[in-house]
């Protein structure tokens, strides 16, 4: 039995099917964990791990938001507004992979590993910041007006827990070479 630690960088790719989930870039973070390696044969190992995996995404600039997201504004159902602000989605997982690891080579050792993993969501939130006028178009050319005057800028400085709207358990397959 050998025990060790691992660390690296997580570069997730957050995607969604709605207009409000488009345009995210990666929210990089430190991926770290503990590894145990059990020798089954001289070239085959079983490697369970427990890892912290930061995921999510971020975007800055003009973004769509549902009209009902802004209190005190009454627009017809389905009308979306746009605003210029920063939005960061933070998704942190505890991952538990169990990998089979094959080792070969004499002077230089090479390996390939693969196996299933399960991931548990431990934190999910969005952090927004900035302030902006509200617009009726994505280009920011048509401000939302009341009595002929654009409404004042809205503050987007907030943190929202979104854990109840995200799957709390994920499963998949991991692999690696080295």
């Amino acid at each position: 039995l050998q025990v060790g630690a691992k660390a690296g960088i997580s570069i997730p790719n957050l995607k969604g099917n709605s207009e409000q989930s488009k345009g995210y870039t990666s929210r990089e973070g430190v991926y770290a964990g503990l590894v145990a390696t059990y020798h089954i044969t001289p070239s085959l190992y079983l490697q369970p791990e427990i890892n912290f995996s930061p995921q999510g995404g971020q975007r800055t600039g003009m973004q769509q938001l549902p009209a009902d997201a802004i209190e005190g504004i009454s627009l017809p159902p389905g009308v979306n507004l746009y605003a210029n602000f920063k939005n960061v989605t933070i998704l942190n997982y505890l991952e538990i992979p169990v990998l089979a690891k094959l080792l070969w080579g004499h002077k230089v050792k090479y390996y390939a590993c693969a196996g299933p993993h399960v991931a548990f969501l431990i934190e999910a939130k969005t952090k927004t910041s900035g302030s902006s006028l509200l617009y009726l178009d994505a280009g920011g050319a048509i401000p939302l007006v009341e009595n002929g005057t654009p409404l004042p800028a809205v503050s987007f400085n907030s943190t929202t827990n979104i854990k109840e709207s995200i799957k709390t358990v994920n499963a998949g397959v991991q692999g690696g070479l080295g």
Side-chain angles (χ1 to χ4, degrees), residues 7-29:
I9 187 166
S10 173
I11 307 173
N13 188 8
L14 184 64
K15 291 185 178 182
N17 296 328
S18 72
E19 188 65 31
Q20 291 150 329
S21 61
K22 291 181 181 176
Y24 276 92
T25 59
S26 293
R27 179 186 83 88
E28 292 86 8

Side-chain angles (χ1 to χ4, degrees), residues 69-128:
I70 307 296
E71 292 182 28
I73 295 176
S74 59
L75 293 173
V79 172
N80 287 305
L81 295 173
Y82 297 84
N84 186 355
F85 62 100
K86 182 176 182 180
N87 183 354
V88 180
T89 300
I90 299 166
L91 305 172
N92 292 323
Y93 288 89
L94 184 66
E95 288 183 348
I96 303 173
V98 178
L99 307 174
K101 185 174 183 179
L102 184 61
L103 186 70
W104 70 93
H106 296 288
K107 287 186 177 184
V108 177
K109 298 286 185 178
Y110 301 95
Y111 73 87
C113 60
H117 84 268
V118 63
F120 301 96
L121 183 65
I122 54 177
E123 180 182 34
K125 62 185 175 183
T126 58
K127 285 184 162 184
T128 55

